[in-house]
Amino acid sequence: MTIELELSTEVRESWAILSVNGEVDLSNSTQLKDEIVGLVSAGHPQIVLDLEHVGFMDSTGLGALVTALKKVKEADGALVLAKVPQQIARLLDITGLDGVFASFASLDEAMSR
């Protein structure tokens, strides 16, 4: 059974906050990447990903984030992570992506980076 991925966006100041709820895996990682790229295309290249309610992320989810980050950087934007669950923080650490993605404990911290 696949857990549905729910995405919602809120714009605060110059940041688009994309809240992710569910599991990010092979079945829906493209949905997450497309949402981020869509925000950039809509003129919101400063993006905070709120991962507080993500229960699982696999390598395809990480790949989607890396691909999206390239698009964000092409638009001179930023893609930062907020409220990262421990298991995803560990995955970022193991893969070395903790050095690629800035991660913050709160949305306010992420937006003031």
Side-chain angles (χ1 to χ4, degrees):
M1 179 178 120
T2 300
I3 294 178
E4 193 68 29
L5 183 66
E6 295 175 11
L7 304 172
S8 61
T9 305
E10 173 189 350
V11 176
R12 280 196 220 163
E13 300 161 22
S14 63
W15 291 91
I17 300 165
L18 178 57
S19 297
V20 185
N21 190 338
E23 297 185 352
V24 183
D25 59 22
L26 180 61
S27 70
N28 58 25
S29 59
T30 302
Q31 180 186 351
L32 177 59
K33 176 188 60 86
D34 290 348
E35 187 75 17
I36 296 168
V37 171
L39 285 169
V40 173
S41 297
H44 299 289
Q46 301 283 100
I47 302 168
V48 177
L49 274 186
D50 179 351
L51 300 177
E52 181 177 17
H53 299 290
V54 175
F56 173 81
M57 183 179 290
D58 69 7
S59 61
T60 59
L62 292 178
L65 292 182
V66 170
T67 301
L69 179 62
K70 290 177 186 175
K71 294 293 184 188
V72 167
K73 286 189 172 188
E74 287 171 8
D76 293 322
L79 178 62
V80 298
L81 310 179
K83 300 191 273 186
V84 180
Q86 185 60 40
Q87 68 272 22
I88 296 172
R90 187 167 184 274
L91 184 61
L92 291 168
D93 180 50
I94 290 169
T95 59
L97 290 174
D98 58 335
V100 175
F101 291 98
S103 186
F104 300 90
S106 72
L107 294 176
D108 288 339
E109 284 180 51
M111 292 186 301
S112 66
R113 69 167 247 338

